[in-house]
Amino acid sequence: MTNSHTVSSPPRSLCIVRLSAIGDVTHVVPVIRTLQHYWPETALTWVVGKVEAGLVGDLPGVEVVPYEKGGGLRELRRLRSRLSDRRFDLLLQMQTALRANVAGLGVRADTRLGYDPGRSRNGHGLFVNRRIAPNPRRHVLDGLFDFLRAMGIRERDLRWEIPVPEEARAFAAEHLPGTAPVLAINPCSSVRPRNWRNWYPERYAAVADYAVREHGMQVVLTGGPSPQEQAYGQSVADAMAHQPVNLVGRTSLKQLLAVLERSRALVAPDTGPAHMGTAAGIPVIGLFGTSNPYRTGPYLSQQWAVNRYPENLARFADTSVEQAAWGQRVRHAEAMGAIEVTDVTAKLDAVMAHSGEGAVQPACGPGSSAARENE
């Protein structure tokens, strides 16, 4: 199996398999925009998770095929049946999770391009016949662009422009009327064991009250529909002196994108909606105590990140960013406690002082190549 793939001319058809999660699916969008810019005649198909298709299912010029991730062999057979009369020139297997590898079996393709061995797992190499070149210690989005580098496209079109329906914008306008600048707070990451990425409700509340008091902002709480997220959002609201607009569990993905589009800034931990904030074009104040923002942080908002990952690695794992495995997490319940309220309010002050143009910037920290758009 070769470690690279070059093309002499754009393929007639190309299929991407990237099922989840929300943040990673959001990262795929500028890759697609770049493909559309440089290979405008190539027919693009994207096999994506059914939930995630609610966000990206209407991308212009892309055939989006929703895939039920928990559907097992039944869903694989359904995918095969839908694509039974198709054979793609090129498959980009952009996810190494086992169910994504298996989903790729439903796509017939001459060339199946996957990750290099260093970024592979779950037998990924068995599902592909070409690999991209190694490019270690990079942001997840940079890793997706490595697929294009392998095909000879070195430039980047860092555009998202995910369609927002007018009814979603009307929903956002109804719940966020007036002209006060909006601060969105998405307090929770995904619900999973030993997660510990969530900051403390009372500290979110202190930041929210500061935003109202010092910047005259309207605060909106956002998040998913799980009981845990709704309870967490209510805890933040209950701890506030000022009344927020609590939309936790009350928005579709398109409505959430419209709310973020209407916001001046977003405060969030390492979670998918943080990357939706990037797609919406707003500064994201990312809270990083357990994961490395230069790997998974909001791609255009590294300057606004509150980064306590290095000190937590030293404190709880007795290692450094340079020595740790790329992507190593700090698994400790006290890690997010290293982030103080004043850390976040200082970033908010800076965001509010930073006028319009250039509010978000490419990542340029250790291990990131985001600033090099024309590599």
Side-chain angles (χ1 to χ4, degrees):
M1 183 182 298
T2 61
N3 286 331
S4 64
H5 176 70
T6 58
V7 294
S8 56
S9 60
R12 293 167 300 173
S13 61
L14 181 153
C15 182
I16 292 171
V17 173
R18 179 78 212 197
L19 304 182
S20 60
I22 291 295
D24 293 321
V25 164
T26 305
H27 293 330
V28 173
V29 176
V31 176
I32 286 176
R33 296 299 189 200
T34 303
L35 283 169
Q36 290 176 321
H37 181 80
Y38 289 99
W39 289 350
E41 301 303 317
T42 299
L44 301 178
T45 299
W46 183 3
V47 180
V48 67
K50 183 177 180 180
V51 171
E52 291 79 2
L55 178 63
V56 298
D58 56 352
L59 287 180
V62 183
E63 176 195 19
V64 173
V65 180
Y67 189 87
E68 181 60 62
K69 289 175 284 188
L73 291 177
R74 173 186 54 81
E75 186 67 2
L76 177 59
R77 286 193 293 267
R78 189 194 66 82
L79 178 63
R80 282 179 172 172
S81 176
R82 175 164 177 171
L83 301 178
S84 61
D85 61 343
R86 315 270 290 280
R87 188 172 189 89
F88 295 90
D89 296 327
L90 182 60
L91 167 68
L92 305 185
Q93 184 70 42
M94 285 184 163
Q95 188 173 357
T96 63
L98 182 58
R99 63 188 175 191
N101 286 327
V102 171
L105 295 176
V107 180
R108 296 192 304 160
D110 298 327
T111 300
R112 311 176 70 86
L113 184 61
Y115 282 101
D116 56 285
R119 287 179 281 187
S120 296
R121 57 190 178 92
N122 297 311
H124 180 68
L126 300 175
F127 298 86
V128 300
N129 56 21
R130 295 288 189 277
R131 290 182 183 269
I132 63 176
N135 194 11
R137 305 182 80 83
R138 292 291 184 264
H139 193 281
V140 171
L141 193 150
D142 292 321
L144 297 175
F145 269 106
D146 284 342
F147 281 82
L148 302 198
R149 287 170 57 89
M151 298 182 293
I153 301 176
R154 302 178 68 84
E155 294 78 13
R156 302 182 180 196
D157 190 353
L158 280 179
R159 290 183 302 115
W160 280 261
E161 298 176 2
I162 298 173
V164 181
E166 285 307 312
E167 55 267 29
R169 289 199 172 108
F171 172 91
E174 175 187 352
H175 288 87
L176 298 169
T179 59
V182 175
L183 175 65
I185 297 179
N186 196 103
C188 279
S189 62
S190 57
V191 178
R192 64 182 71 176
R194 289 167 48 85
N195 189 9
W196 295 321
R197 281 186 279 182
N198 297 335
W199 204 32
Y200 306 146
E202 64 275 11
R203 297 191 189 182
Y204 279 122
V207 169
D209 285 332
Y210 178 92
V212 175
R213 184 176 65 251
E214 299 298 327
H215 296 291
M217 303 185 82
Q218 168 70 71
V219 174
V220 58
L221 305 179
T222 64
S226 71
Q228 296 93 328
E229 288 183 78
Q230 294 191 58
Y232 210 89
Q234 191 59 52
S235 295
V236 175
D238 290 343
M240 287 180 60
H242 301 86
Q243 184 67 30
V245 176
N246 188 351
L247 295 181
V248 179
R250 298 176 57 195
T251 62
S252 67
L253 288 173
K254 290 294 193 183
Q255 289 169 338
L256 174 56
L257 189 61
V259 167
L260 295 176
E261 184 183 65
R262 199 174 179 86
S263 300
R264 179 67 181 83
L266 168 66
V267 176
D270 186 4
T271 183
H275 305 294
M276 290 178 62
T278 297
I282 64 172
V284 181
I285 302 172
L287 309 183
F288 286 83
T290 68
S291 52
N292 188 345
Y294 293 117
R295 179 180 179 272
T296 61
Y299 195 72
L300 301 182
S301 290
Q302 293 291 336
Q303 62 180 315
W304 311 122
V306 179
N307 183 13
R308 295 291 176 263
Y309 176 70
E311 65 190 65
N312 283 336
L313 271 179
R315 178 183 176 190
F316 298 114
D318 193 28
T319 189
S320 66
V321 175
E322 294 73 24
Q323 295 170 329
W326 191 242
Q328 179 174 331
R329 295 283 302 280
V330 177
R331 303 285 185 182
H332 199 284
E334 297 179 12
M336 292 298 286
I339 298 175
E340 300 290 347
V341 170
T342 52
D343 296 328
V344 184
T345 56
K347 293 291 186 179
L348 179 61
D349 290 343
V351 165
M352 296 303 289
H354 202 283
S355 59
E357 195 69 28
V360 289
Q361 297 293 333
C364 55
S368 174
S369 60
R372 302 191 298 276
E373 295 184 34
N374 296 292
E375 297 177 289

